[in-house]
Amino acid sequence: MRLELVKRPQRSMLFSMLSPFIAFALTVTAGAIMFAFLGVNPASALFTYFISPITEVWQLHELAIKAAPLILIAVGLSVCYRANIWNIGAEGQFVFGAIAGSFIPVMYPDLQGPFVLPMMLLMGMVGGALYAGVPALLKARFGTNEILTSLMLVYVAQLFLDWMVRGPWRDPKGFNFPQTVQFNSSAILPELMPMSGRANMGFVFALVAAVLVWFLMSRMLKGFEVRVLGSSPRAGRFAGFSMNRMVFFAFMLSGALAGLAGISEVSGAIGQLQPSISPGYGFTAIIVAFLGRLNPLGIVAAGLVLGLTYLGGEAAQSVLGISDKVARVFQGMLLFFVLGCDTLIHYRIRLVGLGAPKSKAVAKLEEAR
Amino acid sequence: MSVDQDAVNLLEVRGLTKIFGSLKACDTIHLAIAKGEIHALLGENGAGKSTLVKMLFGSLEPNAGEIFWNGQKVGITNPGAAKKLGIGMVFQHFSLFEALTAAENIALSLDDGAPIGTIAAKARALSYSYGLPLDPDSLVGDLSVGERQRIEIIRCLLQTPQLIILDEPTSVLTPQEADKLFETLERLRSEGKSILYISHRLEEVKRMCDRATVLRHGKVVGHCNPRDETAASLARMMVGSEVQAVVRQPVEGIDTAPSLLEITNLSRQPATPFSIPLKGINLSVRAGEVIGIAGVAGNGQGEFFEAVSGEVLQQDAASVRIREKNAGGLNITGRRLLGAAFVPEERLGHGAAPRMKLSENLLLSRHATDGKVFVGSGGTVNSSTIYSAAQRIIEAMDVRKSAPDPEAAALSGGNLQKFIVGRELDRKPVVMVVNQPTWGVDAGAAAHIRQALIELARSGSAVLVISQDLDELFEISDAIAVMHHGELSKPMPIAEATFEKVGLLMGGAETGRDEHAAEVA
């Protein structure tokens, strides 16, 4: 006996809906096995990891804080991936957006007023977009592989941030700690419901971005252009769309959203620049984008799930005494299973005997189908 | 198992069935091929011919049915097994590496590990003895399509097969090259070899084949002796009904009609090492006429189409003029806005995005020309308007489909082609450029498309048709030009054109000088 993948005539709507759930179930199962090997009770470990971090209201606020950057970045990435453009460097665009957006509060720490925050957000978006423009330019002009260039620029951005906060932008009154000044109050992103928790405007940005990009992709000619060029570039050229312009559009849109996520994180959850401002949001957002089926609305849900893996990681560390790297394991397994389960959308699995032509009964069965 | 009169048959197939999803591509096929006969397998595109031969050659596994070879039941599980039995195949689409020599390509498919020199010598000897001269040391990339086919045939013959399967072998040949191939096939028959000859060209089947098996919708609809049939009766068997003949009234006063598509000294450097450069092409298509461009595949037709459509721009803006405006520097959208419409050769992935709905594929080529209707202010797409326009086209062109607005890839080739042509006709374009309008389309749909193109021209548009199908061009064109190695001959008025004259030009008799062609004729 062997397993055979048989191509479906049409993509299966059913499995297109089910695939993320199957993937999640498989991830939880594999996670339970992993916990068992680590010597903890799988049931209570899974409870600690997935349930306990969201049992109280303030914890939901924490979830919103973690999910906001993931959703913002993933929504932008979904446009890239739909266009078949592989921006892996959102982490770098996130960092660079944070640096660009921090220019005003760091260089003019006394500047106050209602215009400060909008300016910061705008500069963060521009910074992220320009930084994403680099791999776009390299791809459009020289045909370089954007996967490599965008990824390598992540390390450049991270080291640039490191240098900035240890060097030129270090807080002179900060006892030599590698960090900038604390942003003043008009440079801080307002909290949504200060009474119940820390969640800030970043989550609202994420939701608005998701709705806007959903509208762009499903209702506008530009979204159609993205989908055509992504799925059949030659048909896109026949339609009169330019792949080079699309490379810039997709990269800079996703760069702007990653930059917005970066500056929102810094001015919201952190309040200053420091050597590390992201627990890998830019990379985790790739998983969010795919788990959300590259659909902005699906990405909102996926962002919350992946946000939970961060919180679960922290809980696992404090309650179970397991390294919080377990969060990375869960994220990796989730992506692995999502991509695996997507096979079911285009293929169905069939068991066949080796070699010999199929029996009449099986042929009949297939006929009936 | 009974060994009686079947023993004389080299190959016999009983009840062979292949199912793809819900489609029965082959449905209980019975077929017998005797030793030393040329057996034709007739059928329209999609009738199941290719599926059947793929099962015979071991590249597809049948769902049910039995195959007998010399009276013995055999299971052909892979092409290696087929070769071992003595079945050789020449595919319609060649599987050759362009950057290797002919001999190297042949060596790749032989398993005996003989040195290249030996193989080359054998191939050379064999090719001359069959009248298919071939230089084994030449690079495949430099060879014409006809010569490449020779490599495939020689490669097949070197394995000394008993049965040779040829899939649409003449579709890439000039009439003269085809004659040569027929001589070779007759010679093989006289040596006692059997040939399964797949074609939809009825004349050549009548001329050469001893028996024919006709397939329709995956079923055998009849066995016959093609020599006793007429082309019309064979066509009826293939299609299942009478095919409406295309009506073409001659045009009058065409010399004074304005030229709507004017191509002057159009040249293009090859984009890849194996693409064809265009060399100084001149052509003018006037309002009301259909001009046909004949030529063997791969002589620059694709490159020419890209240049005319604006998928590739020209340096000299005046080299392509549409409605007396320079269009060489305009992209495809700009040219469409001047009133031109284009239908490329490839349907899936070029003319249409396979995984998109028909309505979305309507927007694909008309988002700019019908921007006011299809695209709202602010760049939103008017889905309902587009949907109803798509339904209008589907009705006008009689597109058969399984859902109201299916994905393009879910349609059969012929139906998708009807939609793609209809999408452009619906605009009533002033200039229409079509590459291979009916390639792989069933006879009924092909007649529909051809008639529509003629009517478009007669209503005052200029129509340019690039096709490998000479019958088609003779049916619809008012004049025929021939493309060879990136050069275009002067258009020959249809009244003066004959298969022989066009065939000579296709084979490379000097282009651009029609007095010369006339002289040869």
Side-chain angles (χ1 to χ4, degrees):
Chain A
M1 296 292 272
R2 68 188 157 149
L3 288 171
E4 202 173 76
L5 290 175
V6 184
K7 197 154 173 50
R8 300 176 189 273
Q10 295 257 7
R11 52 180 289 151
S12 157
M13 287 311 283
L14 177 69
F15 277 99
S16 183
M17 306 280 276
L18 278 184
S19 150
F21 295 99
I22 301 174
F24 189 73
L26 288 170
T27 306
V28 170
T29 313
I33 295 169
M34 178 186 72
F35 282 130
F37 276 117
L38 286 171
V40 292
N41 179 349
S44 68
L46 285 176
F47 179 82
T48 310
Y49 194 89
F50 285 110
I51 311 290
S52 71
I54 45 169
T55 41
E56 287 177 54
V57 176
W58 68 268
Q59 289 175 313
L60 293 177
H61 279 261
E62 293 301 311
L63 182 61
I65 287 179
K66 290 279 188 281
L70 291 175
I71 295 170
L72 263 178
I73 300 171
V75 159
L77 289 181
S78 73
V79 176
C80 282
Y81 298 162
R82 282 290 197 95
N84 216 1
I85 294 165
W86 300 98
N87 178 5
I88 310 295
E91 180 82 0
Q93 292 139 29
F94 176 94
V95 168
F96 207 81
I99 297 173
S102 302
F103 180 82
I104 293 176
V106 172
M107 298 306 284
Y108 306 97
D110 301 325
L111 199 63
Q112 303 246 0
F115 58 91
V116 172
L117 196 60
M119 282 299 293
M120 287 167 61
L121 297 175
L122 191 69
M123 286 173 72
M125 292 175 80
V126 170
L130 288 179
Y131 202 66
V134 177
L137 180 73
L138 291 172
K139 181 179 174 65
R141 287 283 299 179
F142 305 109
T144 49
N145 184 326
E146 74 276 19
I147 297 177
L148 290 176
T149 52
S150 64
L151 178 62
M152 289 192 291
L153 283 166
V154 170
Y155 307 115
V156 175
Q158 286 172 339
L159 292 170
F160 183 66
L161 170 66
D162 196 82
W163 173 71
M164 288 294 276
V165 296
R166 290 175 202 278
W169 279 10
R170 189 176 53 194
D171 180 3
K173 297 180 208 116
F175 307 104
N176 253 346
F177 279 107
Q179 57 197 22
T180 64
V181 290
Q182 288 280 345
F183 293 178
N184 69 44
S185 60
S186 57
I188 293 288
L189 213 54
E191 291 180 352
L192 290 175
M193 286 174 279
M195 302 302 288
S196 58
R198 297 200 302 140
N200 57 43
M201 288 294 290
F203 193 65
V204 176
F205 296 159
L207 295 183
V208 170
V211 172
L212 288 181
V213 171
W214 171 80
F215 188 80
L216 173 89
M217 290 300 288
S218 61
R219 295 284 184 273
M220 293 183 69
L221 188 62
K222 194 70 188 175
F224 176 72
E225 185 179 337
V226 171
R227 288 183 287 131
V228 172
L229 282 170
S231 65
S232 27
R234 192 140 184 239
R237 195 178 59 167
F238 179 70
F241 301 141
S242 153
M243 192 66 198
N244 273 353
R245 263 183 283 162
M246 180 51 61
V247 168
F248 278 100
F249 173 80
F251 254 108
M252 294 182 79
L253 177 72
S254 71
L257 289 174
L260 178 63
I263 186 58
S264 300
E265 180 74 6
V266 167
S267 84
I270 305 176
Q272 67 190 141
L273 275 182
Q274 55 193 40
S276 170
I277 54 171
S278 159
Y281 287 136
F283 295 115
T284 307
I286 298 171
I287 307 171
V288 174
F290 279 101
L291 188 64
R293 308 243 62 88
L294 300 184
N295 175 332
L297 302 184
I299 284 171
V300 173
L304 290 168
V305 171
L306 267 292
L308 182 58
T309 64
Y310 279 117
L311 296 181
E314 289 168 9
Q317 190 168 34
S318 59
V319 179
L320 305 170
I322 297 172
S323 161
D324 69 348
K325 290 277 187 293
V326 75
R328 294 285 181 88
V329 176
F330 270 103
Q331 292 168 1
M333 286 195 299
L334 202 48
L335 179 62
F336 177 83
F337 286 124
V338 166
L339 296 180
C341 289
D342 277 1
T343 310
L344 294 172
I345 299 173
H346 293 292
Y347 296 87
R348 64 193 168 79
I349 295 174
R350 191 178 71 178
L351 270 174
V352 277
L354 270 178
K358 209 172 325 145
S359 71
K360 285 227 165 70
V362 179
K364 274 261 165 55
L365 251 175
E366 289 213 345
E367 209 178 301
R369 194 169 300 160
Chain B
M1 199 199 76
S2 65
V3 183
D4 39 41
Q5 84 279 10
D6 298 346
V8 297
N9 285 330
L10 179 66
L11 178 89
E12 190 172 342
V13 164
R14 288 186 202 151
L16 212 58
T17 299
K18 179 73 194 176
I19 301 165
F20 295 114
S22 60
L23 175 80
K24 274 191 179 176
C26 282
D27 188 358
T28 50
I29 303 277
H30 295 275
L31 172 73
I33 299 172
K35 283 184 182 139
E37 77 165 347
I38 302 185
H39 192 111
L41 188 58
L42 280 171
E44 293 197 274
N45 285 286
K49 296 172 302 199
S50 295
T51 308
L52 175 59
V53 296
K54 276 183 189 155
M55 288 192 283
L56 296 181
F57 196 59
S59 32
L60 278 179
E61 192 184 325
N63 293 96
E66 295 167 317
I67 300 173
F68 297 90
W69 180 257
N70 280 324
Q72 299 289 316
K73 185 176 169 186
V74 289
I76 305 175
T77 49
N78 57 58
K83 281 182 195 165
K84 217 166 265 166
L85 284 176
I87 301 177
M89 174 136 185
V90 177
F91 287 95
Q92 184 178 7
H93 301 286
F94 307 148
S95 42
L96 297 171
F97 294 95
E98 297 196 327
L100 298 182
T101 66
E104 286 166 338
N105 267 291
I106 292 171
L108 278 174
S109 68
L110 302 176
D111 314 319
D112 53 5
I116 285 279
T118 321
I119 291 171
K122 266 198 208 164
R124 193 188 306 268
L126 196 67
S127 69
Y128 282 94
S129 77
Y130 279 100
L132 298 168
L134 175 72
D135 175 11
D137 300 321
S138 50
L139 273 184
V140 171
D142 298 334
L143 298 179
S144 73
V145 184
E147 289 169 311
R148 290 182 200 198
Q149 188 181 52
R150 283 180 198 171
I151 303 178
E152 290 269 1
I153 294 175
I154 298 296
R155 171 153 92 175
C156 176
L157 290 177
L158 273 174
Q159 293 159 354
T160 56
Q162 293 304 303
L163 171 67
I164 301 163
I165 305 173
L166 294 156
D167 193 355
E168 302 265 357
T170 56
S171 62
V172 293
L173 302 181
T174 66
Q176 286 83 358
E177 282 176 316
D179 283 343
K180 203 118 193 223
L181 176 70
F182 298 152
E183 284 169 26
T184 308
L185 296 184
E186 269 154 22
R187 169 124 190 254
L188 286 167
R189 167 168 59 188
S190 69
E191 290 172 3
K193 297 197 194 298
S194 306
I195 292 165
L196 182 60
Y197 189 88
I198 302 166
S199 184
H200 63 260
R201 294 194 173 169
L202 304 171
E203 288 302 335
E204 61 191 43
V205 167
K206 266 176 65 63
R207 169 176 162 190
M208 250 193 356
C209 299
D210 307 300
R211 278 201 294 162
T213 297
V214 184
L215 293 185
R216 186 165 78 226
H217 301 316
K219 288 198 171 106
V220 174
V221 291
H223 300 279
C224 63
N225 181 343
R227 296 195 179 99
D228 299 339
E229 303 284 331
T230 64
S233 68
L234 286 172
R236 220 171 12 247
M237 282 175 87
M238 275 166 60
V239 181
S241 61
E242 290 290 341
V243 178
Q244 215 155 14
V246 172
V247 189
R248 191 184 65 87
Q249 252 94 39
V251 276
E252 289 177 12
I254 196 69
D255 295 336
T256 55
S259 169
L260 295 179
L261 175 67
E262 185 97 42
I263 294 158
T264 317
N265 204 14
L266 171 68
S267 295
R268 184 180 165 196
Q269 294 300 314
T272 68
F274 299 116
S275 62
I276 306 289
L278 300 179
K279 299 167 202 153
I281 291 176
N282 292 299
L283 184 68
S284 135
V285 190
R286 294 173 185 281
E289 70 176 347
V290 179
I291 301 261
I293 294 185
V296 176
N299 268 290
Q301 293 97 326
E303 288 82 355
F304 176 69
F305 178 83
E306 281 184 336
V308 174
S309 69
E311 288 175 280
V312 172
L313 303 185
Q314 285 75 52
Q315 298 270 311
D316 176 10
S319 60
V320 175
R321 286 168 63 82
I322 294 169
R323 285 167 80 194
E324 298 173 356
K325 292 197 182 65
N326 288 350
L330 297 177
N331 73 1
I332 189 163
T333 301
R335 295 183 198 195
R336 284 192 180 119
L337 289 172
L338 284 178
F342 308 96
V343 176
E345 176 179 5
E346 283 285 326
R347 287 185 280 271
L348 288 175
H350 191 176
R355 289 284 166 207
M356 290 197 156
K357 295 176 195 159
L358 288 185
S359 57
E360 291 176 298
N361 272 302
L362 170 60
L363 185 63
L364 186 80
S365 75
R366 289 177 55 178
H367 60 88
T369 50
D370 297 68
K372 281 200 191 101
V373 190
F374 289 168
V375 182
S377 54
T380 53
V381 171
N382 294 337
S383 301
S384 59
T385 322
I386 297 170
Y387 179 83
S388 49
Q391 297 304 319
R392 181 177 74 217
I393 293 165
I394 286 166
E395 202 166 311
M397 296 302 288
D398 187 25
V399 178
R400 315 265 170 89
K401 58 195 170 40
S402 51
D405 193 12
E407 285 179 356
L411 261 62
S412 74
N415 279 307
L416 182 57
Q417 184 72 2
K418 281 195 273 187
F419 181 80
I420 291 176
V421 173
R423 169 178 82 183
E424 308 303 333
L425 291 176
D426 183 64
R427 260 181 66 204
K428 306 202 168 41
V430 181
V431 173
M432 178 95 163
V433 183
V434 192
N435 193 3
Q436 316 300 346
T438 62
W439 183 81
V441 175
D442 62 82
H448 191 132
I449 290 172
R450 289 170 191 161
Q451 192 68 57
L453 289 174
I454 294 172
E455 277 160 22
L456 178 71
R458 295 303 181 262
S459 71
S461 301
V463 178
L464 180 61
V465 176
I466 305 168
S467 179
Q468 289 166 45
D469 185 343
L470 276 187
D471 299 313
E472 167 171 270
L473 290 178
F474 275 86
E475 208 169 278
I476 64 175
S477 309
D478 299 306
I480 295 180
V482 176
M483 187 160 271
H484 180 73
H485 280 319
E487 291 181 60
L488 190 69
S489 74
K490 252 178 97 174
M492 212 186 292
I494 197 72
E496 298 166 21
T498 63
F499 265 59
E500 198 183 359
K501 281 190 206 173
V502 173
L504 281 171
L505 289 171
M506 284 165 71
E510 265 185 67
T511 54
R513 283 193 240 148
D514 54 354
E515 65 275 35
H516 180 76
E519 198 177 290
V520 173

PDB file of all heavy atoms in Angstrom, chain B residues 271-291:
ATOM      1  N   ALA B 271      15.495  37.745 -27.385  1.00  0.00           N
ATOM      2  CA  ALA B 271      15.534  38.011 -25.945  1.00  0.00           C
ATOM      3  C   ALA B 271      16.299  36.919 -25.208  1.00  0.00           C
ATOM      4  O   ALA B 271      16.908  37.161 -24.180  1.00  0.00           O
ATOM      5  CB  ALA B 271      14.117  38.119 -25.401  1.00  0.00           C
ATOM      6  N   THR B 272      16.278  35.688 -25.731  1.00  0.00           N
ATOM      7  CA  THR B 272      17.015  34.583 -25.122  1.00  0.00           C
ATOM      8  C   THR B 272      17.809  33.913 -26.239  1.00  0.00           C
ATOM      9  O   THR B 272      17.506  34.121 -27.417  1.00  0.00           O
ATOM     10  CB  THR B 272      16.066  33.546 -24.503  1.00  0.00           C
ATOM     11  OG1 THR B 272      15.352  32.906 -25.567  1.00  0.00           O
ATOM     12  CG2 THR B 272      15.068  34.188 -23.558  1.00  0.00           C
ATOM     13  N   PRO B 273      18.797  33.107 -25.876  1.00  0.00           N
ATOM     14  CA  PRO B 273      19.613  32.481 -26.928  1.00  0.00           C
ATOM     15  C   PRO B 273      18.796  31.659 -27.923  1.00  0.00           C
ATOM     16  O   PRO B 273      19.211  31.458 -29.055  1.00  0.00           O
ATOM     17  CB  PRO B 273      20.560  31.577 -26.142  1.00  0.00           C
ATOM     18  CG  PRO B 273      20.612  32.148 -24.780  1.00  0.00           C
ATOM     19  CD  PRO B 273      19.300  32.806 -24.540  1.00  0.00           C
ATOM     20  N   PHE B 274      17.633  31.184 -27.511  1.00  0.00           N
ATOM     21  CA  PHE B 274      16.887  30.297 -28.403  1.00  0.00           C
ATOM     22  C   PHE B 274      15.635  30.952 -28.970  1.00  0.00           C
ATOM     23  O   PHE B 274      14.802  30.292 -29.558  1.00  0.00           O
ATOM     24  CB  PHE B 274      16.531  28.999 -27.672  1.00  0.00           C
ATOM     25  CG  PHE B 274      17.754  28.255 -27.236  1.00  0.00           C
ATOM     26  CD1 PHE B 274      18.024  28.057 -25.898  1.00  0.00           C
ATOM     27  CD2 PHE B 274      18.652  27.787 -28.183  1.00  0.00           C
ATOM     28  CE1 PHE B 274      19.177  27.389 -25.503  1.00  0.00           C
ATOM     29  CE2 PHE B 274      19.798  27.121 -27.794  1.00  0.00           C
ATOM     30  CZ  PHE B 274      20.063  26.918 -26.453  1.00  0.00           C
ATOM     31  N   SER B 275      15.479  32.270 -28.780  1.00  0.00           N
ATOM     32  CA  SER B 275      14.328  32.898 -29.423  1.00  0.00           C
ATOM     33  C   SER B 275      14.772  33.495 -30.755  1.00  0.00           C
ATOM     34  O   SER B 275      15.951  33.661 -31.033  1.00  0.00           O
ATOM     35  CB  SER B 275      13.678  33.922 -28.506  1.00  0.00           C
ATOM     36  OG  SER B 275      14.575  34.949 -28.202  1.00  0.00           O
ATOM     37  N   ILE B 276      13.777  33.789 -31.560  1.00  0.00           N
ATOM     38  CA  ILE B 276      14.032  34.159 -32.954  1.00  0.00           C
ATOM     39  C   ILE B 276      14.074  35.681 -33.083  1.00  0.00           C
ATOM     40  O   ILE B 276      13.178  36.362 -32.576  1.00  0.00           O
ATOM     41  CB  ILE B 276      12.892  33.604 -33.846  1.00  0.00           C
ATOM     42  CG1 ILE B 276      12.726  32.115 -33.635  1.00  0.00           C
ATOM     43  CG2 ILE B 276      13.118  33.943 -35.307  1.00  0.00           C
ATOM     44  CD1 ILE B 276      13.826  31.269 -34.195  1.00  0.00           C
ATOM     45  N   PRO B 277      15.093  36.231 -33.739  1.00  0.00           N
ATOM     46  CA  PRO B 277      15.073  37.672 -33.981  1.00  0.00           C
ATOM     47  C   PRO B 277      14.084  38.009 -35.095  1.00  0.00           C
ATOM     48  O   PRO B 277      13.889  37.209 -36.011  1.00  0.00           O
ATOM     49  CB  PRO B 277      16.505  37.976 -34.402  1.00  0.00           C
ATOM     50  CG  PRO B 277      17.008  36.705 -34.980  1.00  0.00           C
ATOM     51  CD  PRO B 277      16.281  35.582 -34.290  1.00  0.00           C
ATOM     52  N   LEU B 278      13.452  39.155 -34.996  1.00  0.00           N
ATOM     53  CA  LEU B 278      12.584  39.608 -36.085  1.00  0.00           C
ATOM     54  C   LEU B 278      13.409  40.512 -36.986  1.00  0.00           C
ATOM     55  O   LEU B 278      14.173  41.345 -36.514  1.00  0.00           O
ATOM     56  CB  LEU B 278      11.391  40.382 -35.520  1.00  0.00           C
ATOM     57  CG  LEU B 278      10.480  39.619 -34.568  1.00  0.00           C
ATOM     58  CD1 LEU B 278       9.351  40.519 -34.077  1.00  0.00           C
ATOM     59  CD2 LEU B 278       9.909  38.386 -35.243  1.00  0.00           C
ATOM     60  N   LYS B 279      13.233  40.305 -38.290  1.00  0.00           N
ATOM     61  CA  LYS B 279      14.074  41.044 -39.229  1.00  0.00           C
ATOM     62  C   LYS B 279      13.227  41.869 -40.189  1.00  0.00           C
ATOM     63  O   LYS B 279      12.607  41.314 -41.092  1.00  0.00           O
ATOM     64  CB  LYS B 279      14.951  40.087 -40.037  1.00  0.00           C
ATOM     65  CG  LYS B 279      15.897  39.268 -39.183  1.00  0.00           C
ATOM     66  CD  LYS B 279      16.498  38.144 -40.005  1.00  0.00           C
ATOM     67  CE  LYS B 279      17.003  37.018 -39.122  1.00  0.00           C
ATOM     68  NZ  LYS B 279      16.982  35.728 -39.813  1.00  0.00           N
ATOM     69  N   GLY B 280      13.163  43.147 -39.957  1.00  0.00           N
ATOM     70  CA  GLY B 280      12.566  44.090 -40.898  1.00  0.00           C
ATOM     71  C   GLY B 280      11.200  43.700 -41.425  1.00  0.00           C
ATOM     72  O   GLY B 280      11.006  43.565 -42.630  1.00  0.00           O
ATOM     73  N   ILE B 281      10.264  43.514 -40.532  1.00  0.00           N
ATOM     74  CA  ILE B 281       8.933  43.074 -40.964  1.00  0.00           C
ATOM     75  C   ILE B 281       8.093  44.262 -41.401  1.00  0.00           C
ATOM     76  O   ILE B 281       8.025  45.284 -40.715  1.00  0.00           O
ATOM     77  CB  ILE B 281       8.236  42.314 -39.817  1.00  0.00           C
ATOM     78  CG1 ILE B 281       8.949  40.983 -39.601  1.00  0.00           C
ATOM     79  CG2 ILE B 281       6.764  42.097 -40.110  1.00  0.00           C
ATOM     80  CD1 ILE B 281       8.434  40.184 -38.468  1.00  0.00           C
ATOM     81  N   ASN B 282       7.476  44.131 -42.581  1.00  0.00           N
ATOM     82  CA  ASN B 282       6.558  45.146 -43.085  1.00  0.00           C
ATOM     83  C   ASN B 282       5.221  44.491 -43.344  1.00  0.00           C
ATOM     84  O   ASN B 282       5.149  43.413 -43.920  1.00  0.00           O
ATOM     85  CB  ASN B 282       7.078  45.747 -44.396  1.00  0.00           C
ATOM     86  CG  ASN B 282       8.329  46.555 -44.158  1.00  0.00           C
ATOM     87  OD1 ASN B 282       8.310  47.532 -43.425  1.00  0.00           O
ATOM     88  ND2 ASN B 282       9.435  46.107 -44.740  1.00  0.00           N
ATOM     89  N   LEU B 283       4.157  45.148 -42.913  1.00  0.00           N
ATOM     90  CA  LEU B 283       2.824  44.583 -43.126  1.00  0.00           C
ATOM     91  C   LEU B 283       1.805  45.679 -42.894  1.00  0.00           C
ATOM     92  O   LEU B 283       1.976  46.534 -42.029  1.00  0.00           O
ATOM     93  CB  LEU B 283       2.578  43.449 -42.132  1.00  0.00           C
ATOM     94  CG  LEU B 283       1.259  42.697 -42.279  1.00  0.00           C
ATOM     95  CD1 LEU B 283       1.245  41.897 -43.566  1.00  0.00           C
ATOM     96  CD2 LEU B 283       1.047  41.776 -41.090  1.00  0.00           C
ATOM     97  N   SER B 284       0.757  45.649 -43.711  1.00  0.00           N
ATOM     98  CA  SER B 284      -0.313  46.596 -43.475  1.00  0.00           C
ATOM     99  C   SER B 284      -1.637  45.847 -43.564  1.00  0.00           C
ATOM    100  O   SER B 284      -1.850  45.050 -44.473  1.00  0.00           O
ATOM    101  CB  SER B 284      -0.185  47.725 -44.502  1.00  0.00           C
ATOM    102  OG  SER B 284      -1.429  48.029 -45.042  1.00  0.00           O
ATOM    103  N   VAL B 285      -2.482  46.056 -42.576  1.00  0.00           N
ATOM    104  CA  VAL B 285      -3.784  45.406 -42.573  1.00  0.00           C
ATOM    105  C   VAL B 285      -4.840  46.498 -42.687  1.00  0.00           C
ATOM    106  O   VAL B 285      -4.892  47.415 -41.861  1.00  0.00           O
ATOM    107  CB  VAL B 285      -4.001  44.590 -41.285  1.00  0.00           C
ATOM    108  CG1 VAL B 285      -5.256  43.733 -41.427  1.00  0.00           C
ATOM    109  CG2 VAL B 285      -2.802  43.720 -40.986  1.00  0.00           C
ATOM    110  N   ARG B 286      -5.660  46.383 -43.745  1.00  0.00           N
ATOM    111  CA  ARG B 286      -6.635  47.432 -43.999  1.00  0.00           C
ATOM    112  C   ARG B 286      -7.973  47.125 -43.359  1.00  0.00           C
ATOM    113  O   ARG B 286      -8.267  45.981 -43.020  1.00  0.00           O
ATOM    114  CB  ARG B 286      -6.839  47.572 -45.524  1.00  0.00           C
ATOM    115  CG  ARG B 286      -5.608  48.072 -46.232  1.00  0.00           C
ATOM    116  CD  ARG B 286      -5.811  48.024 -47.733  1.00  0.00           C
ATOM    117  NE  ARG B 286      -4.595  48.381 -48.430  1.00  0.00           N
ATOM    118  CZ  ARG B 286      -4.187  49.643 -48.597  1.00  0.00           C
ATOM    119  NH1 ARG B 286      -4.926  50.640 -48.150  1.00  0.00           N
ATOM    120  NH2 ARG B 286      -3.067  49.899 -49.223  1.00  0.00           N
ATOM    121  N   ALA B 287      -8.774  48.173 -43.244  1.00  0.00           N
ATOM    122  CA  ALA B 287     -10.115  48.001 -42.700  1.00  0.00           C
ATOM    123  C   ALA B 287     -10.878  47.026 -43.580  1.00  0.00           C
ATOM    124  O   ALA B 287     -10.895  47.164 -44.808  1.00  0.00           O
ATOM    125  CB  ALA B 287     -10.833  49.345 -42.658  1.00  0.00           C
ATOM    126  N   GLY B 288     -11.486  46.029 -43.009  1.00  0.00           N
ATOM    127  CA  GLY B 288     -12.331  45.119 -43.761  1.00  0.00           C
ATOM    128  C   GLY B 288     -11.665  43.829 -44.176  1.00  0.00           C
ATOM    129  O   GLY B 288     -12.330  42.945 -44.706  1.00  0.00           O
ATOM    130  N   GLU B 289     -10.374  43.688 -43.962  1.00  0.00           N
ATOM    131  CA  GLU B 289      -9.731  42.463 -44.443  1.00  0.00           C
ATOM    132  C   GLU B 289      -9.146  41.624 -43.306  1.00  0.00           C
ATOM    133  O   GLU B 289      -8.855  42.111 -42.222  1.00  0.00           O
ATOM    134  CB  GLU B 289      -8.642  42.772 -45.474  1.00  0.00           C
ATOM    135  CG  GLU B 289      -7.411  43.453 -44.920  1.00  0.00           C
ATOM    136  CD  GLU B 289      -6.324  43.635 -45.974  1.00  0.00           C
ATOM    137  OE1 GLU B 289      -6.418  43.031 -47.054  1.00  0.00           O
ATOM    138  OE2 GLU B 289      -5.384  44.398 -45.707  1.00  0.00           O
ATOM    139  N   VAL B 290      -9.007  40.319 -43.630  1.00  0.00           N
ATOM    140  CA  VAL B 290      -8.339  39.389 -42.733  1.00  0.00           C
ATOM    141  C   VAL B 290      -7.024  39.000 -43.388  1.00  0.00           C
ATOM    142  O   VAL B 290      -7.011  38.496 -44.501  1.00  0.00           O
ATOM    143  CB  VAL B 290      -9.170  38.113 -42.517  1.00  0.00           C
ATOM    144  CG1 VAL B 290      -8.440  37.150 -41.589  1.00  0.00           C
ATOM    145  CG2 VAL B 290     -10.543  38.446 -41.970  1.00  0.00           C
ATOM    146  N   ILE B 291      -5.924  39.273 -42.725  1.00  0.00           N
ATOM    147  CA  ILE B 291      -4.624  38.840 -43.236  1.00  0.00           C
ATOM    148  C   ILE B 291      -4.164  37.664 -42.382  1.00  0.00           C
ATOM    149  O   ILE B 291      -4.237  37.723 -41.151  1.00  0.00           O
ATOM    150  CB  ILE B 291      -3.577  39.969 -43.153  1.00  0.00           C
ATOM    151  CG1 ILE B 291      -4.022  41.176 -43.957  1.00  0.00           C
ATOM    152  CG2 ILE B 291      -2.199  39.465 -43.571  1.00  0.00           C
ATOM    153  CD1 ILE B 291      -3.431  41.303 -45.322  1.00  0.00           C
TER     154      ILE B 291
END
